[in-house]
Each structure stands twice: as structure tokens, then as C-alpha cells.
């Protein structure tokens, strides 16, 4: 019903904002990824929206990009995942990170999001496979992608966070093997 709002940003109280659209103030819940990219209060803002009507409430959810809104819509189609949990997922992971987690079937990334347990994460990965992340082909062939995924999983198992593991992977040669890649990544992280 309401697909987009353009107006003046009046208030920012995470995760909710207030947008004045020609004299009408709309309360909009946004994921933190959108919230961090909002302009200052009093500035113009445009958000894509998803309108949810429930028996006890009518709620607008806002998104900075079409991919965020599409990911939200795919998430809320899953049994047991409501708009609040979908917002939480998009606040904890960017759409790109979510797509990579789905493509690689990485439960570990999703369970880091508050409110997502192992069973829910597994259900999300199963039901979203082919819907989000399907357009992300392997960067340099399947072997390259598998080796890098294995290296990344090893680094995460050793206690490094996603950012540290990603930085170490970027420094690796393109066609590195798993064992050699882990050694090189650990050397890079030790510096």
C-alpha cells in the first residue's frame, strides 16, 4: 500500500524514525544498516517501505535500498520469522553478508544475530537458499570459492571475527590451497 516515503527526517530513536511527508508524520522502523546511513534530523530523506497490517497494529518498515527491502520480504515469508526478527537479521548482517552466509550455508554467521538460535538459523539457510544470494556466483570458480570458504571457517573456528577473517582472505593469492591459505592467513593476522 505504501511503497516509498520522501520527506523531512524529524526524529531518530533507533530503530524507529519519524518522517514528515507534507505535514503527515510517519513512524517507520528501520534496520540499523539503514539507520546508520540516514542524514541528520531536519534533512530530506527517501525510504522504500513495507507496510504490515496486523490485528493489533499497522507498522511501516523502511529501507535504504531495494535489496534490503527484498531480503526483508523473503525473511518474513519464513514460518516463525516475523518482521521484528527480520529487522534484527538485517541489523546484524548486511544483505551482502546474508547472501554470502546463505550461499556458503554458514550457520555460525546467523547465530551471532541476537534472537537467532541454531535451529532458526538452519531453517533460514534452508528456506532462503536460491532466493537470496543465488545471483552471487563464485568469484573465481568453485575450487577457489570452496578453498576460501574452508579457510574462512578455520579462522572463525580459531576465534577470529568475520572482519579479521575477511581481511586475511583478501591478502591471500587467488589459487591458494586450504592448508597453505590457513598458514598464510594466520601469519597475516599475527602481524
Amino acid at each position: 500500500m505504501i511503497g516509498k516515503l520522501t520527506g523531512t527526517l524529524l526524529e531518530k530513536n533507533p530503530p524507529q524514525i519519524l518522517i514528515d511527508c507534507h505535514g503527515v508524520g510517519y513512524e517507520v522502523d528501520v534496520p540499523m544498516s539503514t539507520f546508520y546511513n540516514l542524514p541528520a534530523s531536519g534533512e530530506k530523506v527517501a525510504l522504500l517501505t513495507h507496510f504490515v497490517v496486523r490485528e493489533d497494529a499497522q507498522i511501516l518498515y523502511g529501507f535504504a535500498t531495494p535489496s534490503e527491502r527484498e531480503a526483508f520480504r523473503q525473511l518474513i515469508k519464513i514460518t516463525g520469522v516475523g518482521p521484528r526478527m527480520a529487522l534484527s537479521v538485517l541489523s546484524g548482517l548486511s544483505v551482502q553478508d546474508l547472501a554470502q552466509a546463505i550461499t556458503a550455508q554458514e550457520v555460525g554467521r546467523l547465530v551471532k544475530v541476537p534472537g537467532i538460535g541454531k535451529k532458526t538459523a538452519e531453517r533460514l539457510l534452508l528456506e532462503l537458499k536460491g532466493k537470496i544470494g543465488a545471483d552471487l556466483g563464485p568469484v573465481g570458480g568453485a575450487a577457489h570459492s570452496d578453498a576460501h570458504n574452508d579457510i574462512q571457517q578455520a579462522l572463525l573456528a580459531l576465534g577470529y571475527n568475520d572482519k579479521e577473517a575477511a581481511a586475511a582472505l583478501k591478502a591471500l593469492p587467488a589459487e591458494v590451497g586450504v592448508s597453505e591459505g590457513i598458514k598464510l592467513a594466520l601469519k597475516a593476522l599475527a602481524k
Side-chain angles (χ1 to χ4, degrees):
M1 181 175 165
I2 300 172
K4 182 179 178 184
L5 290 176
T6 303
T8 306
L9 182 60
L10 295 180
E11 293 178 17
K12 295 175 13 176
N13 299 311
Q16 194 171 78
I17 62 172
L18 181 64
I19 301 175
D20 177 11
C21 298
H22 304 290
V24 178
Y26 290 94
E27 291 178 340
V28 183
D29 288 5
V30 296
M32 296 313 289
S33 53
T34 295
F35 189 84
Y36 293 134
N37 293 315
L38 289 172
S41 294
E43 306 257 335
K44 283 278 190 195
V45 68
L47 293 176
L48 298 169
T49 60
H50 180 84
F51 187 50
V52 175
V53 178
R54 294 191 327 227
E55 193 175 299
D56 60 341
Q58 296 182 20
I59 306 167
L60 267 174
Y61 295 94
F63 308 95
T65 65
S67 60
E68 273 186 343
R69 181 171 65 177
E70 183 56 32
F72 177 84
R73 287 177 171 170
Q74 290 296 332
L75 284 164
I76 62 174
K77 287 179 184 176
I78 297 170
T79 306
V81 177
R84 287 273 169 226
M85 187 179 289
L87 216 58
S88 181
V89 169
L90 292 174
S91 291
L93 294 170
S94 70
V95 175
Q96 183 73 16
D97 288 343
L98 178 61
Q100 288 173 350
I102 292 165
T103 302
Q105 292 292 291
E106 297 178 64
V107 174
R109 277 188 173 184
L110 290 176
V111 295
K112 291 179 182 176
V113 175
I116 304 285
K118 187 174 182 190
K119 289 188 185 242
T120 304
E122 289 171 347
R123 187 168 4 102
L124 288 173
L125 291 176
L126 179 67
E127 293 198 33
L128 291 174
K129 189 168 187 159
K131 295 178 182 169
I132 297 177
D135 55 342
L136 294 175
V139 178
H144 167 73
S145 178
D146 287 345
H148 274 233
N149 284 339
D150 290 346
I151 295 165
Q152 183 177 20
Q153 289 304 312
L155 294 174
L156 293 173
L158 290 170
Y160 292 100
N161 65 34
D162 284 329
K163 285 186 179 181
E164 292 168 331
L169 285 172
K170 285 182 184 176
L172 296 178
E175 297 303 321
V176 69
V178 176
S179 60
E180 184 63 24
I182 292 171
K183 289 176 190 172
L184 292 171
L186 288 173
K187 282 182 185 176
L189 288 166
K191 292 180 182 176

